[in-house]
Amino acid sequence: MNKYLQIHPGDNVLVALQDLQQGTEVGFNGSTITLSKDVPAKHKFMIADVKEGDPITMYGVLVGKANSAIAKGELITITNVKHDASAFHEKEGTVEWEQPDVSKWANRTFMGYHRNDGQVGTRNYWLVIPMVFCENRNVSVIKTAFEKGLGFAPAEVYNEQVQDLVSLYKKGDLEAIKTYTAEAVTLSNKRHTVFNNIDGIKFLMHEGGCGGTRQDSDALCALLAGYIHHPNVAGATVLSLGCQHAQVSILQEALKKLNPAFNKPVLVYEQQKSASEFAMLSTAIKDTFLALIEADKQVRQPSPLSKLVIGLECGGSDGFSGISANPAVGHTSDLVVALGGTSILSEFPELCGVEQELINRCVEKDVSDKFIRIMRAYESQAESVGSGFYMNPSPGNIKDGLITDAIKSAGAAKKGGISPVIDVLDYTEYVKRPGLNLLCTPGNDVESTSAEVGSGANIVLFTTGLGTPTGNPIAPVVKLATNTKLAQRMPDIIDINTGTIISGEVSIEEMGEEILEYVIKAASGEVQTKAELLHQDDFIPWKRGVSL
């Protein structure tokens, strides 16, 4: 295994692929670099002396400037380097792309649920949605009733643990409580027995719909419409209080905007027009059960891979993200696009510094102009509340080598591969064109994943270097570890280990193909992701301008 890596020939730093001790001599380009301090794996050190104000480059782009003089062989840190990124401007040149060879997948299919509007789902869910947070309790009541009654409820291992502890407490055996160890449970994808073709009922509880800005409530309605319109959804039950900002009529208008011929069953119940809470919930449960009987009649059928819509996401990133999992996912994205499918790259704060590359990859000037407009408006809004993209890296990111937003962004953008940018979508806009789409979202893992699915992603590839337990209510989320240590430490979270790229066992292209094979299985329902098995149904609408 190599000890270090220069990502791009123009970089003036090297990435440590393993822990390197102070005094280690590194041979590079015919010269010797002596490390002045310990360099932990994932972190970077200089290959030449730089002065205060000199540029720091990685991935061939500007990622920071020296806060002070940094010597050859010295570790770069948040103390001696500050964030900086290149400015961007209008599109230059034409788009050229040499597509990868996809002949081996030309006749492959996945088993999906075909919807009347031409979309194909990878799952068959029914949704229960509150229009406002006031209805969360009522949704929770329906959730408990249906999950237990239909066999969708998660394993009750922790309930059993509490019962064991209560029993010991009643016996007065405090020592036994202190030494108590619960038995590990093997997660199972065993199907329920009531409905054979329904993968579950999902509940999108949230804290919005009223009390905030009209912009946020309108955006919530558009996001919820995207979920109802989504190919993984057979229909929805909607609970409304009645007086909130997020009116049912706004949701209905958003659905018609997505599809003027929209005809999925949407059952609506308004509490302020009901005789009683019991009457509303009892009727909603009965009507939903009847709708489930119809939804169960839908079965999986072969579908071309062009019907895949892949969300590209990262969370808990580390210094290996940009050289293992992210470029591997980027190659998977390129394969899907070459097969006529669609991919969605989001997290606009994590595209800082690579804007010009993406602008130049846009197929049309109107598309690149929209990207420029949204990026500038987003950063300006963040700065107006005392923030900025430079504040995006989390303490975990920094600890594991991502010390500036531009370093994090340059690696995060690798998830988008090298295919042309076919379209740019503002938050809650739904994909319309196959190919690589850029979607405006914050970098927040759950807000971004929620948005990708709301824009049509029927499966999500989620890379992580630290281990992030994120899932989605209606779309399978495939978790990819950037390093082998994480995959071994958190096997209940991770689906695929891309750390073998770091060790040199596989190439980025080989891993990208392996990921696509897993995607086909997951899309067909042959495997459930770890996020699905753990019931990680995370859903957070974006209150625009607040989150990065």
Side-chain angles (χ1 to χ4, degrees), residues 118-145:
Q119 296 187 97
V120 178
T122 62
R123 296 291 185 270
N124 190 31
Y125 287 119
W126 188 272
L127 281 182
V128 179
I129 298 175
M131 292 302 299
V132 62
F133 58 82
C134 307
E135 290 298 316
N136 280 347
R137 177 198 167 273
N138 288 334
V139 170
S140 181
V141 169
I142 296 177
K143 175 181 170 74
T144 300

Side-chain angles (χ1 to χ4, degrees), residues 200-211:
I201 305 179
K202 297 298 182 175
F203 306 84
L204 303 187
M205 286 181 278
H206 55 82
E207 302 304 317
C210 202

Side-chain angles (χ1 to χ4, degrees), residues 306-334:
S306 60
K307 292 296 184 179
L308 289 172
V309 183
I310 308 295
L312 310 171
E313 184 67 30
C314 60
S317 299
D318 70 351
F320 284 166
S321 294
I323 56 179
S324 61
N326 288 354
V329 163
H331 186 62
T332 306
S333 173
D334 288 341

Side-chain angles (χ1 to χ4, degrees), residues 404-423:
T404 72
D405 182 54
I407 290 177
K408 181 179 180 180
S409 297
K414 296 297 180 183
K415 299 192 303 293
I418 59 173
S419 63
V421 175
I422 199 72
D423 205 358

